[in-house]
Amino acid sequence: MADSTTAGRFVLVPTPIGNMGDITLRAIEVLKEASRIACEDTRHSAPLLSKLGISGKPLVSLHDHNEVRRLPELLDAARAGELIAVVTDAGMPAVSDPGYRVVQACIEHGIPFEVLPGPSAVLTALVGSGFPVHAFRFLGFLPIKKGRRLKVMEESLATEGTSIFFESPHRLLSTLELLAEKHPSAPCCVARELTKKFETYHRGTAAELAAHFKVHGPKGEIVFLIKGDERFEVSED
């Protein structure tokens, strides 16, 4: 890791997941100091930088489809003394977003890097759910295939603590109905539009939440949480 006086380095910079007021002072400082900014989507990051009064910075796209190809150029820039800020569309880089390969490449090639703390939909949803926080796991997006999706959710019910997922609003009802069909009393929470104007937490059983969202179609960014219990036994059917 590098200290703040090191010139050539990468800095992973978390950005707000909804509320612009959540940008940190360190994040703004780094973005202003950066030689260039690697963005998941430059069109998404440009308005944020504009609101922060940051202009004239070279923006470079760095996403899942070009990360491998673009990394050598950025590594050379860091070796030459550039400070490269890495941002994604929202939240902490590398958490279900580009950035993991950046960290791995820095470790492999001995390039200094820093990770700033900041906004995270995962931790915000966990605390707001009221579910156990002493033990938790984040598993990204649930599988597309229903059989595998149900298996992952059943494993979550049988695991101590809280399991956290991202889920599409277009698939949330299907997911809840799938779980409710076999485990209607499964304790769940749906956190929507975190930090935004219409933020909501829906807590209840899988059956209750399925009934709610069947009437009120889900919209926006969604984090889905399942409360586990190691005493729960997964059926072999």
Side-chain angles (χ1 to χ4, degrees):
M1 305 296 276
D3 61 39
S4 59
T5 62
T6 304
R9 68 192 192 279
F10 285 82
V11 183
L12 277 67
V13 181
T15 53
I17 59 175
N19 191 315
M20 287 291 296
D22 293 335
I23 190 79
T24 69
L25 295 176
R26 283 185 69 196
I28 296 173
E29 180 182 341
V30 167
L31 292 172
K32 287 182 175 179
E33 184 185 350
S35 307
R36 67 178 85 183
I37 302 174
C39 312
E40 180 180 5
D41 187 336
T42 56
R43 297 166 299 179
H44 188 96
S45 298
L48 169 66
L49 295 172
S50 177
K51 289 181 180 179
L52 296 175
I54 299 172
S55 60
K57 297 286 182 180
L59 303 184
V60 180
S61 66
L62 186 72
H63 48 73
D64 286 336
H65 303 294
N66 74 354
E67 207 170 2
V68 173
R69 173 172 52 83
R70 186 58 57 81
L71 264 177
E73 167 196 339
L74 295 176
L75 292 171
D76 286 343
R79 291 190 187 97
E82 291 192 23
L83 189 164
I84 301 165
V86 178
V87 300
T88 56
D89 290 348
M92 176 65 74
V95 180
S96 278
D97 273 335
Y100 170 77
R101 293 188 183 96
V102 171
V103 173
Q104 289 295 304
C106 286
I107 294 171
E108 180 181 351
H109 296 282
I111 304 294
F113 71 95
E114 298 175 68
V115 181
L116 302 191
S120 167
V122 174
L123 294 180
T124 302
L126 172 65
V127 175
S129 70
F131 287 173
V133 296
H134 69 283
F136 60 90
R137 58 180 191 158
F138 171 62
L139 298 171
F141 282 90
L142 281 162
I144 295 175
K145 293 185 177 180
K146 288 188 175 182
R148 177 59 183 158
R149 201 185 325 169
L150 178 60
K151 182 178 179 181
V152 170
M153 290 191 288
E154 288 187 324
E155 290 172 348
S156 297
L157 285 171
T159 301
E160 181 186 4
T162 303
S163 295
I164 310 164
F165 307 91
F166 289 154
E167 183 58 297
S168 161
H170 308 293
R171 206 177 59 179
L172 177 66
L173 179 58
S174 170
T175 294
L176 288 168
E177 289 179 335
L178 183 65
L179 182 59
E181 183 178 352
K182 289 201 67 175
H183 308 288
S185 61
C188 303
C189 176
V190 173
R192 294 179 51 257
E193 295 290 86
L194 294 177
T195 77
K196 300 178 185 177
K197 181 178 180 180
F198 298 107
E199 170 184 290
T200 59
Y201 285 88
H202 300 269
R203 307 173 185 87
T205 67
E208 289 169 343
L209 295 185
H212 172 83
F213 286 108
K214 189 171 184 178
V215 177
H216 308 280
K219 297 179 181 179
E221 302 288 333
I222 290 173
V223 183
F224 178 53
L225 305 95
I226 296 176
K227 180 181 178 182
D229 186 339
E230 58 188 353
R231 295 168 297 180
F232 176 87
E233 295 184 5
V234 177
S235 169
E236 295 297 327
D237 293 340

